[in-house]
Amino acid sequence: MTLRLSLEYHGHVWSASGQPVDLSVPVNPHSGLPRAWYKGPATLNPVRSENWVGSVAEGGAVNFRDLNFNPHAHGTHTETHEHIHDVFQPIDARVRSASLPFILPAFLVHAMPESQGNDWVVPTTSLTSSVEKIRSYKPKAIVLKCTNASVNRDWSDTNPPFLEAGLAEMLCSLEIEHLLVDLPSVDQEIDGGALRAHNAFFGPESSPRANATISELLCVPEGLQEGPGLLALQVAPIVNDASPSRPVWFPAEVSAQAR
């Protein structure tokens, strides 16, 4: 079975075929990884009552478990500007509207961090070789591959890499609405609550970029080439500022639309 996708967008035809690539990291209460933000591992426990247990292993008729996790800390997730603003703009509402279509024209960039003092930052120059194509193709989403290591780790108190000042602003100027990274955050782990990149990308509470989303803690496999692709950003139907998500990548070719 061969899957073929074609999308006409801004005067270009985006064509994809072959196997999609899952960029998600699951919430995993069995391994307890990944996790971040000083949270313990996600947990999974059978429901118990006086004469009943939700565990087949313990003699129950079914497995019926409570899963406790934090979407920001325990796997790939997608968030709206509600994450930093005192508003009710849950990600579920974004998915159910035209602001987050099922298939998005997207662009993948290898954006390896650079050392700056005691920190590692994702530099604005990582876009240099791709910016002209991004301006021409006008993708709605960008995936930044920022690490070559496994994201299945405890990121807490490790000062992970974060976006250099100006990078989020540059993405806004390129009209990127959906930002995806394989880091626990676009911002520094401890920054006194500044959340500079979040604020730049989502905009101020008085005039937010209401359709914008940020997805974090992805896993972008080695060997996935830079360039255009079609992105299916699948988000769990949970009414919250953030929810677990499964970004699926289809490498694509882009050609000028016939007139």
Side-chain angles (χ1 to χ4, degrees), residues 29-97:
H30 302 284
S31 70
L33 298 172
R35 62 181 186 264
W37 309 115
Y38 316 101
K39 295 290 293 181
T43 59
L44 193 69
N45 295 296
V47 175
R48 300 177 186 276
S49 62
E50 185 176 355
N51 297 307
W52 188 86
V53 60
S55 168
V56 173
E58 297 182 45
V62 296
N63 289 312
F64 187 66
R65 306 169 178 129
D66 286 331
L67 173 61
N68 186 283
F69 72 97
N70 185 293
H72 292 284
H74 291 134
T76 304
H77 57 277
T78 300
E79 62 198 29
T80 71
H81 73 101
E82 184 186 343
H83 183 46
I84 61 169
H85 295 154
D86 185 20
V87 293
F88 184 64
Q89 291 289 336
I91 185 61
D92 185 69
R94 296 291 90 203
V95 176
R96 294 176 190 273
S97 71

Side-chain angles (χ1 to χ4, degrees), residues 3 5 15 22 32 34-35 42 66 80 106 112 139 163 198 212 215 247 252:
L3 176 66
L5 296 174
S15 303
D22 190 334
R35 62 181 186 264
D66 286 331
T80 71
M112 291 298 109
L163 303 195
H198 276 89
S215 301

Side-chain angles (χ1 to χ4, degrees), residues 71-72 75-80 83 90-92 94-95 100 178-180 202 212-218 233-236 238 240-247:
H72 292 284
T76 304
H77 57 277
T78 300
E79 62 198 29
T80 71
H83 183 46
I91 185 61
D92 185 69
R94 296 291 90 203
V95 176
L100 187 54
H178 307 284
L179 168 58
L180 300 91
F202 283 134
T213 69
I214 295 176
S215 301
E216 297 160 329
L217 270 178
L218 279 72
L233 186 50
Q234 306 169 16
V235 181
I238 299 175
N240 187 42
D241 73 290
S243 182
S245 59
R246 184 189 295 274

Side-chain angles (χ1 to χ4, degrees), residues 24-219:
S24 70
V25 180
V27 176
N28 191 337
H30 302 284
S31 70
L33 298 172
R35 62 181 186 264
W37 309 115
Y38 316 101
K39 295 290 293 181
T43 59
L44 193 69
N45 295 296
V47 175
R48 300 177 186 276
S49 62
E50 185 176 355
N51 297 307
W52 188 86
V53 60
S55 168
V56 173
E58 297 182 45
V62 296
N63 289 312
F64 187 66
R65 306 169 178 129
D66 286 331
L67 173 61
N68 186 283
F69 72 97
N70 185 293
H72 292 284
H74 291 134
T76 304
H77 57 277
T78 300
E79 62 198 29
T80 71
H81 73 101
E82 184 186 343
H83 183 46
I84 61 169
H85 295 154
D86 185 20
V87 293
F88 184 64
Q89 291 289 336
I91 185 61
D92 185 69
R94 296 291 90 203
V95 176
R96 294 176 190 273
S97 71
S99 65
L100 187 54
F102 177 70
I103 293 290
L104 293 162
F107 207 92
L108 172 66
V109 174
H110 292 178
M112 291 298 109
E114 297 178 351
S115 176
Q116 289 189 7
N118 294 324
D119 302 320
W120 287 85
V121 300
V122 181
T124 57
T125 54
S126 59
L127 295 181
T128 300
S129 62
S130 303
V131 69
E132 289 306 315
K133 286 185 178 179
I134 292 172
R135 286 187 176 130
S136 175
Y137 299 163
K138 299 185 183 299
K140 294 178 72 69
I142 192 163
V143 179
L144 300 181
K145 176 177 173 54
C146 306
T147 178
N148 291 324
S150 171
V151 300
N152 279 300
R153 66 179 91 168
D154 184 353
W155 291 89
S156 297
D157 203 27
T158 63
N159 191 27
F162 54 94
L163 303 195
E164 183 180 35
L167 181 50
E169 292 86 344
M170 187 175 183
L171 295 174
C172 291
S173 73
L174 292 169
E175 300 182 27
I176 298 295
E177 292 186 358
H178 307 284
L179 168 58
L180 300 91
V181 298
D182 56 353
L183 298 169
S185 179
V186 295
D187 280 306
Q188 190 170 16
E189 183 176 31
I190 299 175
D191 67 356
L195 295 171
R196 176 195 45 75
H198 276 89
N199 277 285
F201 194 75
F202 283 134
E205 187 168 345
S206 58
S207 57
R209 303 177 74 224
N211 291 340
T213 69
I214 295 176
S215 301
E216 297 160 329
L217 270 178
L218 279 72
C219 178

